[in-house]
Amino acid sequence: MTAKKSAHTCCYVTLLFGCAIGALSTIGAINGSPALAKNGDPQANAIMAPYQVFNEAGQEVISALLPFGTQFSDATTLTSQTIQLRITGTDTGGTVTGITRNCSVGNRNISRRNVRMLLDGLTTISISRAKSLFSVVLKIDNVSQYQGAIACDPITLRVNP
Amino acid sequence: MRPFLLFLIFFSILLAEFFCTTKKALADDVLSFYVSGNVLAPPTWQTAAGADLTAMAFNFSSRLADANATANVDSSVFLARLVNAASYPTTVLLSRPTGCGIGPAVVTDSHVQFVVNGTATTANGALTIPSSGTQNFVLRFAAVGGYGNKAGTVSCGQAGALTYSY
C-alpha cells in the first residue's frame, strides 16, 4: 500500500511576547446480467471479468488503509492521508462512489452524515475516470474537541454499473 | 385454440428474454477500507503551573541601571512550556520584538536577543524547544549596544512571537 501523505501543517499556536512590565468486498465476482443465451453472442450468459483495484504502485488490492496519523482536537474536520487507486474491468458505463459508515473518535460516535469519502475531490466519479489513478481521501466533519482513537464501520468503494 | 396457445408460449419466451437481457447489473463493492489514527489535545503554550498561555510579558522592574554601560540588560526569567508537540526536541519560529527602548534610549533591533535556557538567539528564525518541560526564557538587550547604564520604562513597539506549526 502506498499512501501519499497529505499536508497537515494547517494550524499553529503562537505566543506573543513583549517587554512591557507587566471488509473485504466480493470484488465484483460476477458482473453483468444473467442473460439468456443467444446464438452468436459470446457475451451472452457469460461471467464477465471482475473489477480489479490497483494501488499507486500497480499492485492489486482488496482492502486499503486510510491513515489519519496524529491529529489534534482543535480541528473541526479530520482528514485522512490521500491514497491513489485505479479500477479495471470497467468496460461498461457507470459510477464509482465511496460508501461511508458511522465512525467514532474516542468514545464519541459520529454519524455517517458527517463522514465523506472524496474521489478526486468528488463524492462520485465516472467509471471511465476510475480507469486512471484517482485520489481517495476520507473526511470526518464536526469533531471539534473530540479526542481518542479514530475508528469506522466498514467503508467500501462501490461500482454502480 | 392450439395456434393461440403456441402464440402465447412464444410471446412469453420473448417477454422473458427481454426482461432478462435488460436487467440492470447490481452494484459491486470492489474495495474495503479501514482507518487508523488518533486525535490528541492540541499543542499549546502553558505556564509552569500548567495554565494556558497566550502572551508572555518580560519584566525588567527588578533590574537597576548599571554603572557599566557594556552590561547585558536582561529581563527576569519567564517560565513557560510547549505541550503536546508532535515530538521533542521540536522547532518553533522566533520573531523578536522590535522598536524597543529604555526610557529615552532607543534599543537597536539587532541588539534584542531571545535567551532560552541560557543560550542567546540573535536572529529571527528556527528555535529549538528541547522538551515539553518548563523552559527558561529571557529577553536581553545585548551589551554591545551599551544599554547597561540606561534607566527608564522598558517598552517595545512591536511584539515578538514564538510560533509552533502543526
Side-chain angles (χ1 to χ4, degrees):
Chain A
M1 175 58 50
T2 299
K4 180 181 288 185
K5 184 178 173 61
S6 61
H8 280 93
T9 304
C10 58
C11 303
Y12 58 87
V13 53
T14 297
L15 182 61
L16 297 175
F17 60 89
C19 60
I21 298 173
L24 178 57
S25 64
T26 55
I27 313 184
I30 298 177
N31 177 33
S33 59
L36 292 175
K38 289 189 288 189
N39 291 337
D41 183 353
Q43 293 298 315
N45 211 21
I47 297 176
M48 297 173 65
Y51 298 111
Q52 290 177 294
V53 184
F54 297 87
N55 63 19
E56 195 174 18
Q59 300 162 322
E60 185 177 359
V61 291
I62 55 176
S63 64
L65 173 65
L66 290 169
F68 283 82
T70 299
Q71 307 214 7
F72 298 101
S73 60
D74 54 349
T76 54
T77 295
L78 304 176
T79 302
S80 75
Q81 292 179 20
T82 301
I83 65 171
Q84 304 275 334
L85 297 173
R86 179 170 65 88
I87 301 177
T88 65
T90 54
D91 293 335
T92 59
T95 59
V96 181
T97 305
I99 305 300
T100 59
R101 305 292 181 193
N102 294 342
C103 293
S104 63
V105 175
N107 59 0
R108 306 295 294 268
N109 292 322
I110 298 162
S111 162
R112 62 183 300 180
R113 292 191 306 273
N114 289 316
V115 182
R116 297 178 286 148
M117 177 172 281
L118 298 180
L119 313 174
D120 274 348
L122 306 169
T123 53
T124 298
I125 61 173
S126 67
I127 284 182
S128 60
R129 172 67 194 90
K131 290 179 179 176
S132 303
L133 282 173
F134 60 94
S135 65
V136 179
V137 67
L138 190 68
K139 288 180 177 287
I140 305 175
D141 298 319
N142 297 324
V143 292
S144 185
Q145 303 307 317
Y146 293 0
Q147 294 182 28
I150 302 169
C152 291
D153 290 340
I155 296 170
T156 57
L157 194 65
R158 179 167 294 174
V159 174
N160 295 290
Chain B
M1 191 64 181
R2 181 170 289 180
F4 177 73
L5 282 176
L6 285 175
F7 171 78
L8 202 59
I9 292 170
F10 179 72
F11 185 72
S12 299
I13 292 173
L14 281 178
L15 270 181
E17 181 165 358
F18 173 79
F19 283 114
C20 288
T21 54
T22 57
K23 178 182 175 183
K24 185 173 177 59
L26 298 176
D28 284 314
D29 288 343
V30 297
L31 188 72
S32 62
F33 294 98
Y34 53 106
V35 303
S36 66
N38 264 296
V39 182
L40 306 177
T44 185
W45 294 95
Q46 292 184 346
T47 65
D52 283 354
L53 190 61
T54 56
M56 52 169 65
F58 288 99
N59 191 338
F60 290 83
S61 61
S62 61
R63 188 183 189 284
L64 296 175
D66 200 305
N68 180 9
T70 56
N72 288 326
V73 177
D74 285 356
S75 72
S76 299
V77 171
F78 193 103
L79 299 176
R81 58 183 182 172
L82 175 63
V83 297
N84 296 336
S87 62
Y88 295 94
T90 192
T91 300
V92 300
L93 185 63
L94 167 67
S95 170
R96 295 170 300 156
T98 58
C100 299
I102 306 172
V106 173
V107 176
T108 303
D109 288 346
S110 61
H111 296 161
V112 178
Q113 299 181 349
F114 196 68
V115 184
V116 181
N117 300 324
T119 301
T121 301
T122 59
N124 292 336
L127 185 68
T128 299
I129 302 297
S131 72
S132 62
T134 302
Q135 315 296 322
N136 295 357
F137 298 99
V138 168
L139 192 65
R140 170 178 294 170
F141 303 139
V144 66
Y147 309 109
N149 60 351
K150 301 296 186 293
T153 301
V154 179
S155 65
C156 293
Q158 180 68 43
L162 286 174
T163 300
Y164 174 73
S165 298
Y166 59 97

